[in-house]
Amino acid sequence: MELDIPEDADRTEYRAGLGRVLDEASPAVARRLGRIRDAATARTDGVIIDVFPGQEGDGAFAVWARFDGADSFVLDRLLGDERRLFAVVHGDHGWEPAVPARPGSWPDAEFEDVLFAAVVEWIDALVPADAAQLSWEITVPGGTHDHHPVGPSR
């Protein structure tokens, strides 16, 4: 699922490098999304995937899943840290995992745009095909993007 965000050389290069790292994480994330689907109850309306760009604006970010609906609090606590789909942190030898560096010329909004588009495309392909009874969407809490549908229910 492609978002309508103009590409330039920096964006193309960053998305390609990030895509390779996300692809490596895909099998584990697909399993987590399957467990999330399996944990949903009749009182679950959907799953929201939150993209959290790092507070320092340096290129770190995290992707978490949470439930939407009457049972969301209980289900989120039940799965705990299993809801963390992906996270980039600064380790002893640079980014872990080794995502490309954010271009220094990018303002926070541009990084958020590119990151959001990459995560939408990545997660859209990983939502279980038999999870259409739930709405699946991606958002950046407090950011400029919210509620972009993904998966079979879109």
Side-chain angles (χ1 to χ4, degrees):
M1 169 171 290
E2 196 70 29
L3 294 181
D4 189 24
I5 297 175
E7 288 292 321
D8 65 16
D10 282 345
R11 285 177 180 233
T12 301
E13 185 177 331
Y14 183 84
R15 292 248 342 241
L18 180 57
R20 287 188 291 275
V21 176
L22 294 174
D23 286 346
E24 289 177 20
S26 291
V29 171
R31 285 190 297 277
R32 282 190 185 113
L33 292 174
R35 286 193 290 277
I36 289 167
R37 175 214 47 221
D38 294 345
T41 67
R43 296 171 15 128
T44 304
D45 297 327
V47 177
I48 300 169
I49 310 293
D50 292 318
V51 180
F52 296 101
Q55 296 298 314
E56 287 76 39
D58 55 8
F61 67 93
V63 180
W64 283 78
R66 62 186 165 95
F67 291 95
D68 184 34
D71 290 341
S72 62
F73 179 77
V74 171
L75 292 172
D76 287 348
R77 290 189 50 99
L78 175 72
L79 289 178
D81 286 347
E82 189 71 12
R83 297 179 308 111
R84 184 179 83 178
L85 303 177
F86 190 82
V88 176
V89 297
H90 192 66
D92 292 339
H93 304 287
W95 294 123
E96 295 175 6
V99 297
R102 170 188 169 172
S105 63
W106 284 3
D108 290 347
E110 185 164 6
F111 175 65
E112 185 179 302
D113 285 349
V114 174
L115 178 60
F116 185 77
V119 172
V120 164
E121 183 177 318
W122 176 56
I123 292 293
D124 186 56
L126 298 178
V127 174
D130 60 351
Q133 78 280 10
L134 297 170
S135 70
W136 295 77
E137 57 189 32
I138 299 180
T139 186
V140 178
T144 59
H145 299 281
D146 62 359
H147 308 292
H148 192 283
V150 293
S153 63
R154 66 176 148 81

